[in-house]
Amino acid sequence: MKYAFVGLGHRAQMYVDALLGDWRDAGTIVALCDTNRTRMDYYVERIGQKVPCFAPDEFDKVLELADAVIVTTVDATHAKYVCAALDAGRDVIVEKPLTIDADGCAAIAAAAERSSGKLIVTFNYRYSPRNSAVRRLLKEGAIGEVTSVHFEWTLDTIHGADYFRRWHRDRANSGGLLVHKSTHHFDLVNWWLDAAPEMVFAQTGLRFYGAENARKRGLGERPERAHGAPGLGSDPWLLDISADERLKRLYLDAEHEDGYLRDQDVFGEGITIDDNMSVMVRYTNQAVMTYSLHAHAPWEGYRVAFNGTAGRWSWTWWSGSGRPSTPPSTRAPPPRNTPPGPPSGCCCAATGARRRRSRSSRARAGTAAATACC
């Protein structure tokens, strides 16, 4: 299989490295397409051989060389590239979200219907053992018919803050975190319940990041970006992209071509996405969900609870509890506390599926919880 890439930012490396490593027998990289030549040069060097590089207005030439296209561009541009590739009969692998609005979704659906090519959206959360265990147990009727779901996802001040530094901070690019991030979670619930939403109500707000919130909290003058700022190295909210070789090569060294700043201040002007989100959903099977996402939590992870006609199942999972792996100059303030539960990186608990269960059923529930924790 001959693969072409469009969009050569940070996310593309996951796919490039797979085709250079464990999946090298599955295909070869035959073309790169991006708005920025410096970023394409970085990947040509990584690939280790000459690969044709094209500007976006030469995408038709990319399609001539490829059997399949991997789309890792800014979310708002997905529909354009996906539709063009499908109309050329090419297979498409596109990063989530599929696109950012209803018109884009409709255009892609129509293109997929008329195309001989296959379309895959990379909802990789489905492949986690703990998430697969949830689907299996619900399908087996472990808690009867599911009547309601509570799903709470928290992003800490390392991961969560980063969305407010880069292009995602502009709703016109990303659609906001309910589109860019929560897409994963909504897909999981659809899959777990084997149902689709039929009624949705949401409320969102920008309550922590952004210039107005900074002024309310008296944070004082803020730099437009981290690079060259007086507080770099001491201000925990400033990201030093020169300290990370990959970020430096992909973004700092590439700024002269397109002016894109990867290290904008999270308390700066121009942020149009929200950091606190709440959603209520009713599904086609009449189950309901309450969902929340907030992007400035003291810990990162999620809590999920299912209520059913024969019991309740709930668990908490968290990753890292804010232990930064980046150099000190890039760290945001670490979380000040950890969630309830054992002091480990992961906590899963299946509770009360039935008040009276046989020993074997209790053993199965324990095995499922252990599997979900792996």
Side-chain angles (χ1 to χ4, degrees), residues 87-307:
D87 283 341
R90 304 301 187 260
D91 291 344
V92 179
I93 299 168
V94 59
E95 260 296 330
K96 60 82 195 166
L98 180 62
T99 185
I100 67 167
D101 55 31
D103 289 344
C105 285
I108 291 172
E113 186 68 25
R114 63 179 177 260
S115 177
S116 59
K118 299 176 182 178
L119 173 63
I120 297 174
V121 185
T122 54
F123 283 129
N124 58 328
Y125 279 23
R126 293 188 180 196
Y127 299 95
S128 166
R130 62 180 175 271
N131 294 331
S132 299
V134 173
R135 176 174 166 86
R136 184 178 68 253
L137 286 169
L138 293 179
K139 196 163 187 174
E140 291 173 353
I143 58 170
E145 183 180 355
V146 176
T147 59
S148 65
V149 184
H150 173 70
F151 194 137
E152 175 191 13
W153 195 285
T154 60
L155 296 168
D156 65 21
T157 50
I158 298 171
H159 183 191
D162 213 35
Y163 291 106
F164 297 83
R165 296 187 180 103
R166 54 198 195 212
W167 56 261
H168 304 79
R169 75 205 307 255
D170 185 347
R171 190 182 300 273
N173 290 330
S174 67
L177 289 178
L178 275 182
V179 172
H180 180 83
K181 182 65 179 175
S182 300
T183 302
H184 267 316
H185 314 149
F186 299 148
D187 176 70
L188 269 182
V189 178
N190 293 352
W191 185 58
W192 283 336
L193 297 180
D194 194 21
E198 65 178 12
M199 182 180 295
V200 180
F201 174 80
Q203 296 185 90
T204 67
L206 181 62
R207 303 297 305 277
F208 184 76
Y209 301 107
E212 183 178 349
N213 290 317
R215 285 190 288 269
K216 287 179 181 178
R217 296 198 298 277
L219 296 188
E221 291 294 322
R222 301 291 305 173
E224 178 187 3
R225 63 174 304 183
H227 186 65
L232 186 62
S234 59
D235 185 331
W237 297 102
L238 298 180
L239 175 67
D240 186 0
I241 56 175
S242 67
D244 182 295
E245 181 63 18
R246 177 166 56 166
L247 292 180
K248 178 180 179 296
R249 293 281 305 276
L250 286 174
Y251 301 111
L252 187 60
D253 294 350
E255 288 177 3
H256 67 281
E257 290 195 43
D258 54 21
Y260 173 59
L261 304 181
R262 172 61 178 79
D263 60 345
Q264 296 178 81
D265 183 47
V266 300
F267 299 114
E269 302 287 352
I271 294 174
T272 56
I273 64 171
D274 298 317
D275 52 28
N276 281 258
M277 289 138 276
S278 178
V279 183
M280 293 188 67
V281 185
R282 187 177 73 199
Y283 291 85
T284 49
N285 64 357
Q286 299 307 296
V288 295
M289 176 177 70
T290 55
Y291 170 88
S292 66
L293 169 69
H294 79 277
H296 54 92
W299 63 280
E300 177 146 340
Y302 64 93
R303 292 186 176 100
V304 181
F306 292 91
N307 295 301

Side-chain angles (χ1 to χ4, degrees), residues 328-340:
S329 60
T330 69
R331 293 180 186 173
R336 290 177 287 279
N337 64 314
T338 56

Side-chain angles (χ1 to χ4, degrees), residues 311-327:
R312 174 183 171 88
W313 191 29
S314 64
W315 78 96
T316 297
W317 177 88
W318 68 91
S319 60
S321 293
R323 294 186 289 272
S325 58
T326 50

